Amino acid sequence: MTENSQQPQPPTSELPTQYAPADVEGPLYERWVERGYFEADAKSDKPPYTVVIPPPNVTGSLHLGHAFEHTLIDALTRRKRMQGFETLWQPGMDHAGIATQNVVERELGKEGKSRHDLGREAFVERVWQWKGESGGQISGQMRRLGDGVAWSRERFTMDEGLSQAVQTIFKRLYDDELIYRAERIINWCPRCLTAISDIEVEYQDDDGELVSMKYGDGDDTIVVATTRAETMLGDTAVAVHPEDERYKHLIGKLITLPLTERSIPVVADEHVDPEFGTGAVKVTPAHDPNDFEIGRRHDLPSLTVMDEHAVITVHGPFQGLDRLEARSAIVAALRAEGRIVAEKRPYVHSVGHCSRCKTTVEPRLSMQWWVKVGPLAKAAGDAVRDGRVKIHPQEMEKRYFDWVDNLHDWCISRQLWWGHRIPVWYGPDGEVVCVGPDDEAPSGEGWHQDTDVLDTWFSSGLWPFSTLGWPEQTESLAKFYPNSVLVTGYDILFFWVARMMMFGLYAMDGTPPFHTIALHGMVRDQFGKKMSKSFGNAVNPLDWMDKYGSDALRFTLARGANPGVDVPIGEDWVQGSRNFANKIWNATRFALMNGATVDGPLPDASKMSSTDRWILSRLNSVVAEVDAHYDDFQFAKLSDALFHFAWDEVFDWYVELSKTTFQAGGEPAEVSKRVLGEVLDVTLRLLHPVVPFVTETLWTTLTGGESVVIADWPKAVSVPGADAPGGFRDAGAEREIETLQSVITEVRRFRADQGLQPGQRVPARLSLDGSALAPHEAAIRQLLRLQPEGDAFTATATLPVAGVEVALDLSGVIDFEAERKRLTKDLAAAQKERQQAEAKLGNEAFLAKAPDHVVDKIRTRLAKADEDIARIGAQLERLPKA
């Protein structure tokens, strides 16, 4: 019995005959919150356990990915809370710059307005208004799921404290020359009208066109190819490899750029692959990152030929055309001049798209703010290499190193109005002043603040310490930093994890933000396909929670969670988990009705039956197994272990084997009632972190305790009179019950083979003299529906199993002659099936032509036929001889 349990008075009448999640979950969760179970005290002397929530976007709603991740984090934190840790699961939301601005701009569009009609200040006010009214609906949905977060500590990346943290770290990085402003090629979204980082670009194969065209004239002709013909208006060179004999005579010469009145040089650059295409590439420094680098090496001018909307801004005939319109028009113009050498359509190639709005990204030369990531990324790599931070599963380390070891400088400025505005002021005479939170901003004529805001990932990169009060040295920061573990998807290893590692190590004097990074996969549909509205397979988790209960969804997700591996999920699996919750409910209700109790100590081992000792021994094995899996983030394995222990061993075997004991009464029944109560108490506590609602209801009813949320996490059970290091174990009892199970299972299988109904009673003789199973005769007969043999008993079938002989009298129960005819017919069909399969597999001509999957199917048919022949033959052998 746990410390938090009170004297129990098992009120079975409080448990309805059926479990109704909708009636239980909401009130239970509110009670947990009201009682402060999920809050964390920085003054506590308990050891800390901290996890931050990957902050969902303020625009977001709960999707299956959230439900999956939150289930895993909630399971970890609920267990640690039960283990006596001062547990903080830090909640909050991200302001989601681009996404939120897009939402509010769409709302304005419905009113026939744009943000420019309101102006910056009024637009930002409008966003705050939207956030207050419509943002953050995910918080309520997290409550539905059962998230045990410290709601009093909820943070928002744009709140006052986090804004101060952003300004502080920007100022420090700026002063350390790790933030700078420069004109570089960036990824530009013509729809969102902002720069986006490399990791916010999604690449997909698109149908395009590859156009080969002639530059220059006569002997100075050179052919280049491009998928973006419109950028040729900004070409400032053609590049070839310096060792390419075909073009050595052109290196250093000027050639004519078609459709313009300009001449451009041919330059030699080792970046060019002479084996690819014609070995010559057009160079557009203002619209291609590789060309930009060539341009810097050769001091080429950069000509911007498109505006922020991707509209052509130069050369009369094409000026004002959208990039795609210009592409067609320019190709047509080149064709008219006879300069098109080849056109390939469709030409499938990888194209970058904005991860927010899916618009094709345009590389563009732009003045932006950057983080110099070299030293920060090195520190982030070193923290994993020297073991200060563990990545789980370990094979994911390679992906992490591939990223942090090859990071380019990070473009952190965004051309938005919603977000943390860059804290830099410009003066009338070219002055540049970076302002910290305690500094006074410059004022006076000609001074103005930078109009850009910071990338959303800049503020979320501070999340593990800014949420705890940094830059102030708060009690919470001292208690709960670094975080114990970060649970997140491998898909944002680069977006978020690397940012937090860099900033945490920088801001917190070399202390990494977390001890362990536990990476999980992505949720997919039951066929392993990515979930998407466009695929028609997206699922709203709230629908499944409404239909089956939150516990059912949580258990399904946890049972599929192997570290770093994607998780398939289908509705029938959630239904199966609902059945498991019902099984727990019904079995516990039955146990309570039959007197299961946690009152008083466990009886002495000498008073226990082998069945009692077996289940307690198995219970201790499962406690150890579940602990080991939790420590290794093996949620699927621990869930599976609990499922099979609870359903198979406790409910299907121990409860059933104990029924005869309960019916007989006396001291053995009282012992088994206490053992059953102990097993249920521990099992419900083991299950609680994954299925919190049903276990709370059942555990408090069983034990009379205040709440399983604050109950002790199970340790190995000790049994008086048989105490042992690591808890009670009884290998002999386990072997005995395994033998009993094999006897019952084999006889059940035989009954099913003979077509007997489960409840149909059959006379039987059990030869148990000298067997360890002799004390179990009543249970065997009850579970197998076996009557005493009687005077007219005739053994028509005898089953020797595990040293025990079970003789059955099936006369009057089975028409043996009809059964023999049926089985003989089935045997002939199976033999014919085998002959046909063998004939095909023996035909060399067939094997040479048939696809592999067809051959595999026939091999499977052969194997199935062999199994059927063996099974039917055994059944025929068991029938009485005519």
Side-chain angles (χ1 to χ4, degrees):
M1 191 166 170
T2 66
E3 291 178 9
N4 296 298
S5 300
Q6 302 165 359
Q7 191 73 6
Q9 301 291 329
T12 56
S13 60
E14 289 186 10
L15 287 179
T17 55
Q18 292 185 326
Y19 177 50
D23 297 338
V24 170
E25 294 174 352
L28 266 189
Y29 188 84
E30 291 310 313
R31 189 185 312 156
W32 291 335
V33 173
E34 288 167 7
R35 293 180 179 180
Y37 293 157
F38 305 138
E39 297 301 326
D41 183 4
K43 293 182 171 64
S44 167
D45 58 2
K46 296 179 182 178
Y49 187 81
T50 315
V51 185
V52 293
I53 196 170
N57 288 353
V58 68
T59 59
S61 60
L62 191 75
H63 56 63
L64 269 179
H66 290 129
F68 173 54
E69 186 166 79
H70 291 201
T71 294
L72 305 188
I73 300 174
D74 197 42
L76 289 174
T77 53
R78 283 179 183 269
R79 172 177 177 255
K80 285 295 181 180
R81 192 177 292 112
M82 295 171 76
Q83 286 182 315
F85 286 77
E86 193 61 37
T87 303
L88 170 60
W89 183 10
Q90 173 67 54
M93 286 185 292
D94 192 287
H95 66 279
I98 295 176
T100 306
Q101 180 157 320
N102 283 346
V103 167
V104 178
E105 286 198 79
R106 281 197 297 270
E107 293 296 313
L108 284 175
K110 295 175 184 177
E111 303 170 15
K113 297 178 182 177
S114 73
R115 62 183 164 118
H116 300 286
D117 294 323
L118 272 65
R120 183 170 194 140
E121 188 173 330
F123 176 77
V124 171
E125 283 184 18
R126 180 69 176 260
V127 180
W128 277 108
Q129 179 186 341
W130 175 88
K131 190 257 182 188
E133 294 173 357
S134 306
Q137 64 173 322
I138 196 171
S139 296
Q141 295 164 349
M142 288 165 57
R143 293 170 183 264
R144 283 285 314 278
L145 189 65
D147 285 5
V149 299
W151 287 112
S152 69
R153 292 172 171 267
E154 188 174 11
R155 303 304 297 270
F156 180 54
T157 50
M158 286 282 286
D159 69 27
E160 184 178 351
L162 271 64
S163 295
Q164 182 183 13
V166 167
Q167 198 171 353
T168 298
I169 201 163
F170 188 100
K171 171 70 171 171
R172 291 187 186 179
L173 289 164
Y174 181 88
D175 290 345
D176 287 344
E177 298 183 349
L178 292 173
I179 282 183
Y180 64 94
R181 191 169 185 244
E183 192 174 43
R184 297 260 185 95
I185 289 283
I186 48 89
N187 304 296
W188 181 265
C189 176
R191 160 62 184 80
C192 298
L193 297 180
T194 182
I196 57 176
S197 66
D198 291 344
I199 52 179
E200 291 171 300
V201 178
E202 294 178 348
Y203 287 90
Q204 66 183 48
D205 287 341
D206 287 357
D207 286 346
E209 59 181 347
L210 181 66
V211 179
S212 299
M213 48 198 180
K214 292 188 294 186
Y215 284 12
D217 296 295
D219 293 338
D220 294 343
T221 298
I222 193 167
V223 176
V224 299
T226 183
T227 58
R228 299 163 66 217
E230 68 279 8
T231 63
M232 67 154 295
L233 300 176
D235 286 359
T236 55
V238 170
V240 298
H241 193 275
E243 302 302 321
D244 193 332
E245 293 293 336
R246 294 171 294 175
Y247 302 120
K248 278 194 172 182
H249 69 287
L250 289 177
I251 294 173
K253 283 191 174 183
L254 294 175
I255 62 173
T256 302
L257 180 65
L259 306 184
T260 72
E261 297 178 357
R262 291 191 291 115
S263 295
I264 58 174
V266 176
V267 299
D269 195 282
E270 291 187 352
H271 168 77
V272 179
D273 180 0
E275 302 298 323
F276 183 76
T278 64
V281 297
K282 59 191 285 299
V283 181
T284 321
H287 293 278
D288 183 274
N290 294 322
D291 293 2
F292 177 76
E293 296 301 326
I294 293 175
R296 291 213 302 184
R297 288 194 288 272
H298 297 278
D299 199 25
L300 299 173
S302 296
L303 302 181
T304 300
V305 298
M306 278 180 266
D307 65 13
E308 64 270 22
H309 297 280
V311 171
I312 302 298
T313 58
V314 298
H315 200 67
F318 312 110
Q319 192 168 358
L321 295 179
D322 168 83
R323 55 182 166 170
L324 299 182
E325 296 172 333
R327 183 175 301 170
S328 299
I330 287 170
V331 170
L334 290 168
R335 192 183 299 114
E337 290 190 4
R339 290 190 175 271
I340 298 296
V341 175
E343 297 178 71
K344 185 176 182 180
R345 295 190 189 90
Y347 177 71
V348 178
H349 62 132
S350 182
V351 178
H353 295 260
C354 173
S355 62
R356 297 291 180 188
C357 69
K358 312 309 176 188
T359 301
T360 300
V361 167
E362 191 65 44
R364 186 168 186 259
L365 186 63
S366 181
M367 182 67 75
Q368 302 286 344
W369 285 94
W370 305 80
V371 171
K372 184 180 180 181
V373 299
L376 302 174
K378 181 181 184 304
D382 289 347
V384 174
R385 286 188 169 95
D386 64 24
R388 282 175 290 158
V389 177
K390 304 287 186 185
I391 293 181
H392 191 280
Q394 190 174 2
E395 54 264 28
M396 287 286 181
E397 282 187 1
K398 183 180 185 302
R399 297 181 73 170
Y400 177 79
F401 292 134
D402 286 346
W403 185 256
V404 297
D405 293 347
N406 297 285
L407 271 179
H408 299 296
D409 284 0
W410 172 20
C411 177
I412 56 171
S413 46
R414 300 290 182 267
Q415 290 64 55
L416 304 171
W417 287 357
W418 173 245
H420 296 102
R421 196 165 173 182
I422 288 176
V424 172
W425 270 255
Y426 304 104
D429 298 317
E431 302 95 332
V432 179
V433 176
C434 181
V435 176
D438 300 323
D439 301 332
E440 188 171 335
S443 59
E445 188 175 350
W447 282 92
H448 64 280
Q449 186 178 357
D450 196 298
T451 57
D452 289 350
V453 300
L454 288 163
D455 177 10
T456 297
W457 297 102
F458 190 95
S459 51
S460 58
L462 314 180
W463 193 247
F465 51 93
S466 63
T467 52
L468 298 173
W470 186 91
E472 302 300 323
Q473 297 304 305
T474 64
E475 286 183 320
S476 290
L477 188 65
K479 177 75 174 179
F480 296 114
Y481 187 92
N483 291 189
S484 306
V485 62
L486 173 73
V487 179
T488 192
Y490 63 73
D491 55 319
I492 59 170
L493 182 62
F494 322 123
F495 282 92
W496 191 43
V497 179
R499 298 340 187 190
M500 288 189 290
M501 286 286 283
M502 291 191 295
F503 282 167
L505 290 159
Y506 174 79
M508 299 301 292
D509 300 319
T511 302
F514 17 73
H515 297 302
T516 302
I517 301 168
L519 298 171
H520 59 72
M522 299 171 66
V523 179
R524 297 182 178 273
D525 72 11
Q526 59 188 326
F527 305 108
K529 190 174 181 180
K530 181 179 179 180
M531 285 192 172
S532 166
K533 289 181 180 178
S534 61
F535 295 155
N537 63 349
V539 173
N540 183 344
L542 296 172
D543 293 341
W544 281 352
M545 286 192 280
D546 288 342
K547 195 170 182 180
Y548 303 111
S550 298
D551 284 334
L553 176 63
R554 290 171 60 115
F555 192 73
T556 305
L557 291 166
R559 204 171 175 196
N562 292 295
V565 179
D566 289 345
V567 183
I569 184 172
E571 185 170 1
D572 54 336
W573 303 342
V574 186
Q575 185 175 354
S577 295
R578 188 271 311 275
N579 295 344
F580 179 52
N582 289 342
K583 183 77 170 181
I584 301 169
W585 182 273
N586 294 333
T588 305
R589 189 172 181 276
F590 168 84
L592 288 170
M593 291 172 65
N594 283 274
T597 178
V598 295
D599 187 16
L602 281 171
D604 193 273
S606 62
K607 297 181 179 180
M608 292 182 182
S609 68
S610 57
T611 309
D612 295 329
R613 298 195 305 276
W614 161 71
I615 197 63
L616 289 174
S617 183
R618 287 293 305 129
L619 177 66
N620 280 345
S621 295
V622 170
V623 169
E625 185 179 357
V626 168
D627 275 333
H629 289 325
Y630 261 116
D631 292 341
D632 198 33
F633 305 102
Q634 297 283 356
F635 296 97
K637 290 181 179 179
L638 72 90
S639 299
D640 212 47
L642 286 169
F643 174 87
H644 287 294
F645 176 71
W647 191 309
D648 300 344
E649 297 186 84
V650 179
F651 304 145
D652 278 359
W653 282 108
Y654 182 70
V655 168
E656 292 299 318
L657 289 170
S658 299
K659 283 181 179 179
T660 51
T661 307
F662 293 155
Q663 290 167 1
E667 185 179 16
E670 296 306 311
V671 170
S672 290
K673 289 174 185 178
R674 180 63 189 89
V675 170
L676 178 54
E678 186 74 15
V679 172
L680 287 175
D681 171 20
V682 174
T683 302
L684 290 170
R685 283 185 281 146
L686 287 172
L687 282 165
H688 173 73
V690 181
V691 284
F693 294 107
V694 68
T695 52
E696 171 80 343
T697 306
L698 295 175
W699 186 86
T700 52
T701 303
L702 170 71
T703 68
E706 179 185 338
S707 172
V708 70
V709 176
I710 54 172
D712 295 331
W713 181 250
K715 296 178 181 176
V717 174
S718 294
V719 175
D723 212 0
F728 173 76
R729 296 291 173 88
D730 191 329
E734 290 196 36
R735 286 193 298 271
E736 180 178 321
I737 302 304
E738 285 172 9
T739 302
L740 175 63
Q741 289 171 331
S742 66
V743 169
I744 292 172
T745 300
E746 185 60 27
V747 176
R748 279 176 173 167
R749 184 180 295 117
F750 175 77
R751 287 177 57 110
D753 286 344
Q754 302 307 313
L756 295 177
Q757 296 300 313
Q760 192 170 0
R761 305 193 71 82
V762 177
R765 178 189 299 140
L766 304 182
S767 302
L768 299 174
D769 291 346
S771 167
L773 301 189
H776 300 286
E777 179 169 356
I780 292 172
R781 286 188 177 277
Q782 179 166 315
L783 289 174
L784 290 173
R785 304 294 189 269
L786 303 180
Q787 298 175 187
E789 53 193 275
D791 294 336
F793 179 83
T794 302
T796 59
T798 302
L799 303 176
V801 185
V804 173
E805 190 173 271
V806 180
L808 303 174
D809 183 355
L810 302 178
S811 56
V813 177
I814 295 176
D815 183 337
F816 295 120
E817 189 58 33
E819 184 66 9
R820 184 174 286 105
K821 287 180 180 178
R822 182 185 70 82
L823 290 173
T824 301
K825 183 179 179 181
D826 290 347
L827 180 62
Q831 290 170 336
K832 182 178 181 181
E833 174 74 2
R834 180 172 64 179
Q835 289 171 358
Q836 291 175 343
E838 283 181 331
K840 285 193 175 183
L841 293 174
N843 185 334
E844 294 296 333
F846 169 78
L847 293 177
K849 294 179 180 178
D852 289 344
H853 73 275
V854 172
V855 176
D856 289 341
K857 189 174 181 180
I858 293 170
R859 289 194 178 113
T860 301
R861 283 171 51 194
L862 177 61
K864 175 68 166 52
D866 284 337
E867 290 175 9
D868 289 344
I869 290 168
R871 175 178 56 80
I872 297 168
Q875 289 176 247
L876 282 167
E877 282 294 320
R878 286 170 176 166
L879 288 177
K881 298 295 185 283

